[in-house]
Amino acid sequence: MKYGKIDPALLSMKQYDADTSAGALILGDIGDISYNYDEKTGFTVELVRHVRIKVFNSKGFHTANFKIPYYTSGDLKEKVSRIKATAYNLDAGNKIVETDIDKANIFTEEISSKERSQNFSVPNVKNGTVFEVEYHIISDIIWEIRTWEFQSTVPSLFNELRVSIPEYFIFKTLMKGYLTPVVSDVTNDTQTIFITNDDGSKSPILCNNLTKKLKFENIPALKEEPYMNAISNYISSIEFEIASVNLPFTKKDYTTTWEKISYNLWNDEDFGTQLKRNCPIKEEAEMLKTAYPDPKERMIKAFELIRNSMTFNDRYGIYITKTLRKAWEDKKGKASDINLLLVSLLNEIGIEADPVILSTRKNGILHPAQIMLTKFNYVIAEARIGTEKFLLDATDKKLSFSLLPERCLNGKGRRITQTPDLNDWVPLSVNQQNERLLYMQTTVKPDGNISGDFNLMETMYFAYDRAELIKEENSDEDYITEFESETNGLQINEFTIENIDDRSQPLVMKYKADYLLSDGSIKDIIYVNPTLGEGITSNPFTTEIREFPVDFILPWSSKIINTITIPDGYTIAEMPKNAVISLPDQLGNYRYTIGATGNQIQLMCVVNIRTSQIISANYPDIREFYSRIVAKNAEMVVLKKI
């Protein structure tokens, strides 16, 4: 694949036959990683990437947007250079027209004092475009090799990586994903490097290079599926972790431990050093200590002070933007600014607290055996009062102290502490279930229509998600209109919504409503769905095979209770049977209980999922579980006129 050499047939290509739904096709993605040696500066690592993509329609336009992150701090620097980007289109005469990127349209984004990103979009991309991009990254951080992804959210004809590593650098590799390379070669070659001696003379040294080549072909797109953690967790890729560095002419230990990482972070100007300085909000701290003698109440008030005062700018990272004092003065910042400020305040008011670094759900799951600081992209606070521990994130004004944002619920985080005994992993899970309860008292009319009183209560993230949906609308009335449209025949006449802003309490929605299900004429036979179409009515798990887990984030339960009054002059001709459906290993169950007394029918329908994650081996079970629930929830009570 040579830059600038484009087959005209690619520009006439209308779709990819192996995946006609694809908005784009990666024609080739080639990476070359190698170590270069300079007598004065030593080794550097260089990555050269060349990618070529065919865009079919607007669904593929996103592939033309590039963000190339890099690191720079003190003597350790990465440099992005030699960026080329060219779009190829056909004009009216079927001649190829090239459009090169203007260097002025390549922007540098400052993520933190240590992190930058080169951002650009390939120009003149439209339906039918073929474009290609090439760039180089040269790094002084010789003990780190970037992760390379062989798969994407669009299909690819081929993806190839060549890695050449001198014998002095020993890396452990981790292959992720479910694809197998068509080429996996390992070769050795030798080069001569010259080192400068103390007397100025030069000595040649033979250096063996281990070169690994991996190539994948006809790679399918990895597509989002229901209840899926970050797609990056399942993309086929290769990660590199340094095991040892044994340079013959330099004695320097590049290996690391969690204790070293914690020590280095505590002494980093953009992390721990900020916490060693005086708290920037001492006056407020003194007021909290005076006003709230109870430690837990004082912790909660400190959390609320930071949460309510600071505005989150939606940026992640473990390093602060400037200083904690500057963040407090500006009243805004990254997650690291806000939550390290919270750690500082908690310690100032006598609450033992440390930062906890983690990887957000979209950033990917951490592997505790990998000692790699680059895998972390977020900071929260941990407070400790006696034997109780509290994980706190003050970035979201809508969450109480007891809830982390869902983005943080991703396995484990790492406590960064100066206390050796506390240097450990921290589970990020919540020991509670999401709960939903819908209580209904309904009356069936002779024409088959239904009216009733409804009380919907949701806790934790169920409540949070609904509150966000309500706030997205212009008014509560607009939300109710949207809510009505989701259920056949539902017409809400009166409603109230309680606790929309208080996530320490359940969100409660009460409403009076009619289900207009018939033409208004009196019926001899009436069919009534006792769940009224609520609960699980469709199966989200449509694919027969799934290679990755079903991720519910948290255990959850949903309960429907309906007391149904049947009209005078009618009798129950047929009624569903009770049922219990269970998942293996007590992962969850479903109970459907229905009975009749006099002119009333009582239904209780409960789903309990007792785990946050269903592994792929149990995917057929959860798929069948949902299918049977859908069928059961669709069963009808039959009423017959006497």
Side-chain angles (χ1 to χ4, degrees):
M1 199 167 74
K2 290 188 177 182
Y3 198 97
K5 301 293 184 181
I6 302 296
D7 183 349
L10 294 173
L11 290 163
S12 303
M13 187 179 182
K14 300 299 181 186
Q15 67 179 26
Y16 180 45
D17 291 341
D19 184 355
T20 57
S21 67
L25 171 66
I26 298 172
L27 302 170
D29 196 352
I30 301 173
D32 191 295
I33 298 172
S34 60
Y35 277 75
N36 303 317
Y37 182 76
D38 182 271
E39 294 175 25
K40 294 181 180 179
T41 58
F43 280 104
T44 56
V45 190
E46 182 174 15
L47 163 65
V48 182
R49 184 190 182 198
H50 179 198
V51 58
R52 181 178 291 167
I53 298 178
K54 167 71 179 185
V55 176
F56 298 117
N57 52 53
S58 60
K59 290 195 301 182
F61 287 174
H62 70 280
T63 60
N65 301 323
F66 286 78
K67 285 192 171 188
I68 310 171
Y70 63 101
Y71 180 92
T72 176
S73 177
D75 294 334
L76 295 177
K77 290 182 172 62
E78 293 181 310
K79 182 182 179 182
V80 182
S81 64
R82 300 163 65 182
I83 296 175
K84 296 193 291 185
T86 307
Y88 306 90
N89 292 287
L90 291 176
D91 66 9
N94 281 333
K95 292 184 178 180
I96 297 178
V97 177
E98 299 183 14
T99 308
D100 293 323
I101 193 168
D102 186 334
K103 301 298 183 185
N105 292 325
I106 301 174
F107 303 97
T108 300
E109 177 188 359
E110 184 173 344
I111 300 169
S112 75
S113 61
K114 294 180 172 62
E115 301 157 299
R116 307 279 193 280
S117 178
Q118 292 282 291
N119 302 341
F120 61 92
S121 295
V122 181
N124 201 27
V125 171
K126 49 193 173 183
N127 292 357
T129 298
V130 171
F131 72 83
E132 59 184 339
V133 169
E134 185 177 283
Y135 57 84
H136 295 234
I137 303 174
I138 299 174
S139 175
D140 297 327
I141 310 171
I142 57 177
W143 56 91
E144 285 188 7
I145 294 179
R146 291 181 176 231
T147 296
W148 180 265
E149 294 182 347
F150 296 102
Q151 192 177 19
S152 172
T153 55
V154 298
S156 176
L157 293 185
F158 80 91
N159 187 306
E160 179 180 305
L161 176 68
R162 176 184 171 275
V163 186
S164 184
I165 303 174
E167 60 182 292
Y168 313 127
F169 301 88
I170 309 301
F171 283 90
K172 294 183 287 184
T173 58
L174 173 65
M175 289 293 298
K176 295 171 61 178
Y178 305 96
L179 302 179
T180 302
V182 296
V183 175
S184 181
D185 288 339
V186 178
T187 57
N188 282 282
D189 63 79
T190 303
Q191 69 177 117
T192 301
I193 62 175
F194 290 87
I195 64 168
T196 303
N197 301 313
D198 293 339
D199 61 3
S201 62
K202 299 185 187 303
S203 300
I205 293 182
L206 287 179
C207 174
N208 292 316
N209 294 318
L210 182 72
T211 301
K212 188 170 189 175
K213 182 179 178 181
L214 294 168
K215 185 175 182 179
F216 292 73
E217 292 181 348
N218 301 318
I219 307 156
L222 185 57
K223 298 182 179 180
E224 294 274 3
E225 292 197 31
Y227 301 105
M228 183 178 183
N229 201 330
I231 203 166
S232 60
N233 292 312
Y234 312 110
I235 283 177
S236 289
S237 62
I238 184 169
E239 293 182 350
F240 302 86
E241 181 188 355
I242 193 70
S244 63
V245 178
N246 304 299
L247 298 174
F249 45 85
T250 296
K251 299 302 179 184
K252 187 173 181 180
D253 182 13
Y254 288 105
T255 59
T256 190
T257 63
W258 286 117
E259 289 72 23
K260 284 185 181 179
I261 285 178
S262 188
Y263 175 83
N264 290 337
L265 279 175
W266 267 106
N267 290 282
D268 193 301
E269 179 66 25
D270 297 319
F271 195 92
T273 300
Q274 298 291 322
L275 300 175
K276 295 176 184 178
R277 293 174 180 164
N278 289 333
C279 178
I281 42 179
K282 275 184 170 292
E283 185 176 333
E284 290 82 353
E286 289 301 320
M287 292 173 60
L288 288 169
K289 286 192 285 187
T290 302
Y292 303 103
D294 178 71
K296 185 173 180 179
E297 187 178 10
R298 189 161 69 248
M299 178 199 73
I300 293 170
K301 294 301 180 183
F303 165 83
E304 292 175 348
L305 172 65
I306 300 297
R307 181 195 64 185
N308 297 338
S309 300
M310 300 294 291
T311 298
F312 178 41
N313 62 12
D314 294 322
R315 295 177 69 179
Y316 300 171
I318 65 172
Y319 300 106
I320 65 166
T321 307
K322 294 179 181 176
T323 66
L324 295 185
R325 186 172 300 280
K326 179 62 175 170
W328 178 250
E329 289 171 356
D330 293 344
K331 296 295 187 290
K332 64 181 179 182
K334 295 164 54 180
S336 50
D337 299 318
I338 293 170
N339 288 324
L340 288 178
L341 185 61
L342 176 58
V343 172
S344 178
L345 176 59
L346 289 169
N347 282 308
E348 184 67 24
I349 63 172
I351 304 294
E352 186 182 3
D354 283 312
V356 172
I357 58 175
L358 57 88
S359 173
T360 57
R361 292 176 63 80
K362 286 188 177 180
N363 191 56
I365 296 171
L366 294 170
H367 297 275
Q370 287 184 290
I371 308 175
M372 301 173 71
L373 185 58
T374 54
K375 296 298 181 184
F376 296 85
N377 72 326
Y378 203 87
V379 185
I380 60 174
E382 183 192 63
R384 298 180 291 275
I385 302 174
T387 58
E388 285 191 283
K389 296 176 182 177
F390 304 89
L391 296 179
L392 307 171
D393 184 330
T395 61
D396 193 327
K397 297 184 186 300
K398 299 174 288 292
L399 286 177
S400 68
F401 79 96
S402 61
L403 293 181
L404 291 173
E406 281 190 9
R407 60 179 171 265
C408 298
L409 303 181
N410 194 34
K412 294 180 179 180
R414 187 79 191 184
R415 184 186 296 112
I416 302 301
T417 176
Q418 293 178 295
T419 306
D421 291 346
L422 293 175
N423 197 317
D424 204 353
W425 291 97
V426 177
L428 300 169
S429 57
V430 179
N431 295 322
Q432 291 177 270
Q433 274 191 328
N434 279 322
E435 294 181 348
R436 176 180 293 120
L437 168 63
L438 177 59
Y439 181 71
M440 305 182 279
Q441 289 185 303
T442 56
T443 299
V444 181
K445 299 177 181 178
D447 60 5
N449 290 321
I450 296 170
S451 63
D453 292 329
F454 302 82
N455 191 328
L456 174 64
M457 183 194 77
E458 293 175 319
T459 68
M460 296 181 59
Y461 298 99
F462 282 166
Y464 177 87
D465 292 342
R466 190 174 301 278
E468 290 301 286
L469 290 174
I470 294 170
K471 290 175 182 178
E472 285 175 5
E473 301 293 339
N474 294 323
S475 65
D476 291 354
E477 288 76 11
D478 286 347
Y479 172 74
I480 290 299
T481 300
E482 183 68 25
F483 183 78
E484 285 177 328
S485 69
E486 296 172 359
T487 304
N488 180 42
L490 179 61
Q491 180 178 296
I492 295 177
N493 305 311
E494 300 176 27
F495 73 91
T496 60
I497 302 174
E498 301 172 6
N499 304 327
I500 192 169
D501 292 313
D502 185 0
R503 285 293 59 80
S504 64
Q505 299 294 325
L507 185 146
V508 178
M509 195 164 82
K510 299 176 181 178
Y511 53 99
K512 295 180 181 294
D514 296 316
Y515 281 78
L516 304 178
L517 305 172
S518 79
D519 57 9
S521 61
I522 304 300
K523 303 293 189 295
D524 291 333
I525 295 178
I526 302 173
Y527 295 91
V528 179
N529 181 338
T531 68
L532 292 182
E534 301 293 340
I536 298 173
T537 58
S538 63
N539 190 349
F541 306 113
T542 56
T543 58
E544 290 190 17
I545 299 173
R546 178 161 165 157
E547 301 285 359
F548 37 83
V550 173
D551 187 355
F552 291 117
I553 304 179
L554 286 177
W556 60 273
S557 69
S558 179
K559 180 183 293 186
I560 297 171
I561 298 174
N562 193 4
T563 300
I564 307 167
T565 301
I566 67 175
D568 292 338
Y570 286 78
T571 188
I572 300 169
E574 192 175 326
M575 194 161 61
K577 295 180 180 179
N578 294 339
V580 176
I581 305 169
S582 297
L583 286 166
D585 303 321
Q586 297 186 333
L587 296 173
N589 62 28
Y590 165 85
R591 292 182 179 274
Y592 185 102
T593 306
I594 192 167
T597 303
N599 68 337
Q600 287 192 331
I601 299 169
Q602 291 83 32
L603 167 78
M604 185 166 70
C605 177
V606 183
V607 182
N608 266 307
I609 299 294
R610 296 191 179 93
T611 180
S612 60
Q613 197 171 88
I614 305 287
I615 62 173
S616 57
N618 290 123
Y619 175 70
D621 301 310
I622 191 70
R623 186 168 182 250
E624 176 65 16
F625 182 71
Y626 266 75
S627 292
R628 293 177 66 187
I629 291 174
V630 169
K632 193 65 186 174
N633 283 353
E635 291 183 359
M636 296 286 186
V637 170
V638 180
L639 304 179
K640 186 176 181 180
K641 193 173 184 180
I642 300 172

